[in-house]
Amino acid sequence: MTVIVLIAAPDGLRGHLTRWMVEVNAGVFVGNPSRRVRDRLWETLAARIGEGQVVLVEPADNEQGWAVRTAGRDRWRPVDFDGLILSARNRRA
């Protein structure tokens, strides 16, 4: 299963995602696209997110069984901590 979360996304991205996935809540999409479709969607989302943020959670062959991709203005970022994916927040100066 793949989950995509859009935060402050430009117009049109949510509509684009509904072609491939189900929007279960505002900006939260769930589905089972193929790896090829998922990678193409990611290219589009990362290129068009602008000042917003996109988070993609996808199946992976690791301890947790999933991996995270982020693009845009990241508030949180995934960090690999000895094989465990954790979320880290950037320090403010």
Side-chain angles (χ1 to χ4, degrees):
M1 179 185 332
T2 300
V3 177
I4 297 176
V5 179
L6 296 178
I7 301 167
D11 293 339
L13 278 185
R14 285 173 62 183
H16 180 73
L17 275 177
T18 58
R19 297 177 192 167
W20 304 100
M21 303 176 83
V22 175
E23 189 170 14
V24 295
N25 201 347
V28 180
F29 298 84
V30 177
N32 283 312
S34 68
R35 173 121 184 128
R36 184 177 187 175
V37 169
R38 188 170 57 241
D39 288 343
R40 290 274 179 107
L41 283 172
W42 181 251
E43 290 172 10
T44 301
L45 293 170
R48 295 180 51 197
I49 195 61
E51 292 296 313
Q53 180 183 11
V54 60
V55 177
L56 181 143
V57 180
E58 61 188 329
D61 188 23
N62 60 22
E63 290 284 326
Q64 290 172 295
W66 52 272
V68 178
R69 300 187 210 184
T70 62
R73 183 170 276 190
D74 288 338
R75 293 169 184 90
W76 296 87
R77 60 184 169 77
V79 176
D80 185 336
F81 186 75
D82 290 334
L84 184 65
I85 304 297
L86 302 173
S87 292
R89 187 172 217 146
N90 292 332
R91 287 190 151 183
R92 296 181 190 243

